[in-house]
Amino acid sequence: METQKWSIVALCLLGVLGSTTAKVEEENPEFWRAQGAKALQAALNRKLNTNVAKNIMLFLGDGMGITTITAARILKGQMHNQSGEETVMTMDTFPHAGLLKTYSVDFQIPDSSSTATAYLCGVKTNLNTVGVSAAARNGICKTQKGNEVSSILKWAKDAGKSVGIVTTTRVQHATPATTYAHSASRKWYSDADMPASAKKEGCTDIASQLLKNTDIDVIIGGGRKYMTPKGTWDPEYPRDLASSGKRQDGRHLISDWQKMKVGKVARYVWNRTDFDAVDPDTTDYLMALFEPGDLRFDVERDPTMDPSIAETTEKAIRILSKNPKGFFLLVEGGRIDQGHHASRASMALHETVAFDNAVAKGLELTNEEETLTLVTADHSHAFTFNGYPFRGQSILGKSPLYGKDMLPYTTLMYGNGPGYKVVDNKRPDIESKDYVQLSAVPLDTETHGGEDVAVLARGPMAHLFHGVQEQSYLAHAMAYAGCGEEGGTERENERGPFVLLLLFNKKVLCAKMILSNYVNYDNTPDLYMFIFK
């Protein structure tokens, strides 16, 4: 009873103190009415863009759940000396939004490879598998054969578009790997990571598939050590054995890639100087691998050695956009996820801000009338935002309330992870230099969360990304938006039932392509019937 009384008193005190932090204009009802009227008018004026998407940009924040978006929005504002809560991130400006269900076929809470297979290939699958259906089993090579599913990156390449991947992780990691690889295990980065039985049964590592499966125009990220023979010194860290080459088959995949591009202008770079020297106007292919493994967190990045994700996104777009048929580009903010796994909320949020800057760069370089741009996540994390902080209080700070143990706590915490610290039945004071972001359950690494994630869309057919959908819906909607004749003027100028039939007639090859993973459709009328059902 005494605890309840003090809780009520504390909340009342917070209410009084919090009211003093409000901006003067926000105390006037007309401020909110005007703001609401402006937003409503913008919604009423919005016209659906039914053009064909010449270009598709998919920005994927790995582990970027809705709580992460909210906290990063506040951080971005506070980085510019603002209160933060009212900040508008670039991704916030997208006019269409929906929710995606992220579960995998075998688990309630997924990993990044099963989710990537869903949103890139249009097929849900099992945990830890890449580019295969749920008939394949984690780590069992023989179940992989015949169960491969292709990605929208390959569909775009087959349609004559240029394609690229940009990531802050290794390019063999789960998300980028799913654009080009088929593997019963996401962990088979190089042949050194594969069991002998898998190699004997004919499975190949993910790094080798980067060269073999799809002709990718732009490849940017990390992962040098999976591309070179065992013992090959790394050019940036020659004395670090952990950074040296890992391959057991003796192949130098970077050299192999360069030999495959004879007759083309193909550039391989591993540092900022060489990257800046790449001329997009004269470059056909670019492979940029800035680290032996994953890239550094953005706040720890050496800008003289490694470009930001916004800069790598810009280079990719400038190279890919030379194709008159358009392009598909996947941009992954992959280390958002890794910041969360380490329970380092600050790292995760700064990665999200950097990711949003990349989204802004993408919009700056493309035309909304012909470019479909999506921002989404593969999954969330066990990450919470709590404690009644005052308006404008540091998002990385502590709640004004104390726990029943009379110790403070941060407004950002984790449900599990390495931040569990209880000694003699007592939490440490967060003022301690040894404090780690608090978690409720002790684990070496924090886990993913299972709630729905947001998808934000703008550009041609962006209105298709609505409501609550299975995550696998994304690939189908992206492919539909990107198919058809160039220009899209017939859609805008023609009306009536005949136009609907014409629209599907324009889409028939695309629809066949999407459905090819399930059933063969050689008869056009049958295909129409399937669509109309």
Side-chain angles (χ1 to χ4, degrees):
M1 190 69 181
E2 189 70 17
T3 300
Q4 184 179 16
K5 182 179 73 173
W6 281 111
S7 296
I8 294 171
V9 171
L11 285 174
C12 291
L13 182 59
L14 285 176
V16 172
L17 294 174
S19 66
T20 64
T21 66
K23 296 180 180 179
V24 173
E25 68 267 20
E26 293 180 359
E27 296 178 357
N28 185 348
E30 290 307 313
F31 171 83
W32 301 105
R33 290 168 182 155
Q35 187 182 88
K38 182 179 178 180
L40 176 60
Q41 192 59 54
L44 292 170
N45 292 341
R46 186 178 304 128
K47 300 223 176 359
L48 295 185
N49 181 344
T50 58
N51 294 341
V52 173
K54 175 184 175 182
N55 311 310
I56 299 176
M57 297 191 297
L58 175 58
F59 287 88
L60 189 287
D62 196 322
M64 190 182 70
I66 292 176
T67 304
T68 300
I69 293 175
T70 303
R73 177 188 302 127
I74 296 172
L75 175 63
K76 188 168 187 176
Q78 293 179 347
M79 289 169 66
H80 293 87
N81 298 316
Q82 299 170 358
S83 171
E85 298 84 2
E86 71 285 356
T87 300
V88 178
M89 293 207 293
T90 300
M91 66 179 81
D92 294 338
T93 66
F94 284 37
H96 299 280
L99 293 173
L100 303 175
K101 296 185 282 185
T102 64
Y103 66 90
S104 65
V105 170
D106 54 347
F107 279 81
Q108 283 184 342
I109 296 179
D111 76 316
S112 293
S113 60
S114 59
T115 52
T117 302
Y119 62 76
L120 289 170
C121 304
V123 177
K124 286 212 170 193
T125 191
N126 296 322
L127 210 73
N128 292 330
T129 60
V130 172
V132 291
S133 73
R137 297 292 181 265
N138 178 24
I140 303 177
C141 171
K142 61 184 179 181
T143 67
Q144 178 182 314
K145 303 299 178 61
N147 293 316
E148 297 88 351
V149 292
S150 58
S151 77
I152 187 168
L153 179 139
K154 186 178 190 308
W155 306 342
K157 189 68 178 184
D158 290 346
K161 296 180 184 292
S162 294
V163 296
I165 53 176
V166 171
T167 181
T168 54
T169 66
R170 67 203 85 172
V171 297
Q172 305 86 1
H173 208 255
T175 300
T178 307
T179 64
Y180 61 84
H182 312 286
S183 180
S185 173
R186 59 175 288 183
K187 297 180 180 179
W188 293 349
Y189 303 122
S190 76
D191 63 330
D193 301 305
M194 299 178 66
S197 59
K199 288 187 276 190
K200 184 176 180 180
E201 290 171 359
C203 284
T204 56
D205 63 278
I206 292 170
S208 65
Q209 293 185 56
L210 177 60
L211 275 63
K212 180 176 66 175
N213 290 355
T214 304
D215 186 26
I216 303 176
D217 302 273
V218 174
I219 302 165
I220 301 177
R224 291 192 296 256
K225 64 182 179 182
Y226 305 107
M227 307 288 284
T228 57
K230 184 177 181 179
T232 302
W233 288 0
D234 184 82
E236 189 173 0
Y237 312 105
R239 297 183 179 182
D240 181 14
L241 293 179
S243 298
S244 63
K246 290 174 60 71
R247 300 198 64 81
Q248 296 177 341
D249 58 8
R251 292 185 65 188
H252 196 297
L253 296 182
I254 296 170
S255 297
D256 290 351
W257 178 83
Q258 291 172 316
K259 292 173 185 175
M260 292 168 63
K261 307 304 178 189
V262 173
K264 297 289 185 179
V265 179
R267 297 288 307 275
Y268 167 72
V269 302
W270 61 268
N271 59 68
R272 176 63 177 262
T273 301
D274 291 343
F275 177 79
D276 287 346
V278 173
D279 182 358
D281 292 334
T282 60
T283 300
D284 300 313
Y285 292 91
L286 172 63
M287 178 184 286
L289 304 179
F290 295 108
E291 290 289 335
D294 300 323
L295 304 192
R296 296 181 182 276
F297 284 115
D298 191 65
V299 295
E300 297 175 345
R301 175 177 59 88
D302 180 355
T304 66
M305 287 299 296
D306 301 331
S308 68
I309 186 174
E311 292 170 312
T312 53
T313 297
E314 177 175 6
K315 186 79 75 173
I317 292 172
R318 292 194 183 280
I319 293 173
L320 299 175
S321 60
K322 300 197 303 289
N323 188 336
K325 292 186 177 181
F327 65 84
F328 172 84
L329 175 63
L330 169 68
V331 178
E332 183 201 21
R335 300 222 66 191
I336 300 170
D337 176 71
Q338 294 175 1
H340 280 316
H341 279 308
S343 293
R344 299 174 72 185
S346 177
M347 292 299 178
L349 299 187
H350 279 93
E351 288 295 304
T352 307
V353 171
F355 176 75
D356 191 60
N357 293 338
V359 176
K361 181 58 67 175
L363 299 187
E364 175 189 324
L365 297 171
T366 55
N367 181 353
E368 184 178 358
E369 289 302 304
E370 64 178 16
T371 303
L372 171 65
T373 305
L374 302 178
V375 175
T376 190
D378 45 1
H379 54 75
S380 66
H381 276 267
F383 182 53
T384 65
F385 179 17
N386 67 102
Y388 300 108
F390 294 120
R391 177 77 177 274
Q393 184 170 318
S394 170
I395 189 63
L396 298 172
K398 59 184 179 180
S399 168
L401 293 176
Y402 277 53
K404 290 173 63 177
D405 55 6
M406 297 309 294
L407 289 172
Y409 60 92
T410 55
T411 58
L412 300 177
M413 295 192 293
Y414 292 91
N416 57 55
Y420 177 87
K421 302 288 182 181
V422 174
V423 179
D424 295 330
N425 293 319
K426 186 177 181 181
R427 293 187 295 123
D429 191 324
I430 65 173
E431 302 297 337
S432 166
K433 64 181 177 62
D434 299 320
Y435 175 78
V436 177
Q437 201 90 29
L438 187 68
S439 63
V441 176
L443 291 176
D444 290 334
T445 179
E446 179 265 356
T447 71
H448 295 167
E451 68 270 25
D452 298 350
V453 296
V455 56
L456 309 170
R458 60 177 279 167
M461 307 304 285
H463 55 282
L464 296 179
F465 302 90
H466 71 290
V468 181
Q469 307 285 353
E470 296 288 353
Q471 197 168 38
S472 50
Y473 171 77
L474 241 64
H476 301 270
M478 284 190 289
Y480 184 86
C483 286
E485 297 172 4
E486 293 183 4
T489 54
E490 295 91 46
R491 284 183 183 165
E492 297 176 0
N493 298 330
E494 298 176 344
R495 298 290 184 269
F498 177 73
V499 179
L500 184 63
L501 185 60
L502 174 63
L503 180 117
F504 281 122
N505 187 44
K506 287 170 66 178
K507 293 289 184 183
V508 63
L509 294 177
C510 177
K512 282 184 178 179
M513 179 172 63
I514 295 173
L515 297 169
S516 63
N517 287 329
Y518 306 105
V519 64
N520 291 322
Y521 276 93
D522 296 321
N523 187 301
T524 299
D526 288 344
L527 181 59
Y528 287 154
M529 288 187 67
F530 180 89
I531 292 174
F532 279 105
K533 286 179 181 177

